[in-house]
Amino acid sequence: MNAAGETTWFNWTQYADHGPGAEILGVRPGSAVLELGCGKGGNLAHLATLGANAVGVDVSPAQIKAAGARWSDTPMTLHRAEATHFLEETGASFDSVFSVFGAVWFTDPAVLLPAIRRRLRPGGVFAFSQRPPIEGCYGCQASYINRSEDEDPLVVKRWDYEPDRWAELLTEHGFTAATGRVLAAPPGPRKVGTLLVRARG
């Protein structure tokens, strides 16, 4: 339950009860919605309560298991898969596709964006959020994530661009009405905002 007393809610940012919500996606009862990198399923569950036919994909078996357990009474479909593989193999199309600090951040846009475009219905909404880029650090970046003392660190790639460049990339891959902006952090000690990008199919 969040601060407003709601049992499900949608959050694009890394801050609780902050920023816009599901209205960004224009979801209606019966809308087919796909989340790429659904994690534990909180945002997807909220869309299911709005009447959407909610489908979530995550590469992590642990996350899919946690989502299934947490939202066992919520009508949504979960797939353990890598995002581009799922998009290439599914025969489904969607009214909305979205990612919140998920697969869009960690997948080469030259591969992922065309795959999303093929599965997005005409006029459908594609939106994603992630941290804004560090000034001067654009394109493919890499991070080392420490594991056990007996294992080398895990290397994770991510793709960082400024809002205008994301809009250009989306337009180049056949999306329309592409926009990007950085949502400021809420009042408090933390200052990093959230990049939010939206386009239509």
Side-chain angles (χ1 to χ4, degrees):
M1 186 174 293
N2 71 353
E6 298 163 324
T7 55
T8 67
W9 60 96
F10 197 104
N11 196 358
W12 291 101
T13 81
Q14 63 269 46
Y15 303 104
D17 306 332
H18 172 68
E23 68 276 4
I24 295 292
L25 297 171
V27 171
R28 296 184 174 92
S31 293
V33 178
L34 172 65
E35 182 174 10
L36 301 175
C38 63
K40 294 180 181 176
N43 285 327
L44 194 65
H46 180 69
L47 297 177
T49 67
L50 298 179
N53 297 320
V55 177
V57 175
D58 203 286
V59 74
S60 166
Q63 293 284 61
I64 289 293
K65 183 178 179 180
R70 182 179 182 189
W71 304 106
S72 60
D73 295 332
T74 305
M76 55 189 197
T77 305
L78 302 172
H79 298 273
R80 189 289 209 200
E82 191 274 330
T84 55
H85 291 165
F86 176 83
L87 290 163
E88 289 166 359
E89 293 172 4
T90 185
S93 59
F94 300 92
D95 298 297
S96 301
V97 178
F98 73 99
S99 173
V100 178
F101 288 69
V104 175
W105 203 5
F106 301 109
T107 309
D108 185 348
V111 176
L112 184 60
L113 295 182
I116 292 171
R117 182 66 191 85
R118 286 191 292 271
R119 294 299 171 202
L120 190 63
R121 292 173 180 165
V125 175
F126 169 50
F128 65 92
S129 64
Q130 60 195 52
R131 286 193 181 91
I134 297 170
E135 186 176 355
C137 298
Y138 309 124
C140 184
Q141 308 292 310
S143 300
Y144 285 99
I145 299 175
N146 290 328
R147 297 191 282 186
S148 72
E149 292 182 5
D150 298 327
E151 295 179 290
D152 287 331
L154 178 67
V155 178
V156 177
K157 294 180 181 180
R158 69 180 194 276
W159 277 261
D160 290 318
Y161 295 103
E162 293 182 311
D164 288 349
R165 180 56 185 145
W166 272 117
E168 290 173 357
L169 286 169
L170 288 161
T171 301
E172 290 168 9
H173 286 94
F175 293 87
T176 63
T179 61
R181 59 186 167 130
V182 174
L183 306 172
R190 296 175 63 185
K191 303 302 179 188
V192 176
T194 305
L195 173 70
L196 178 60
V197 179
R198 182 180 187 271
R200 288 197 173 272

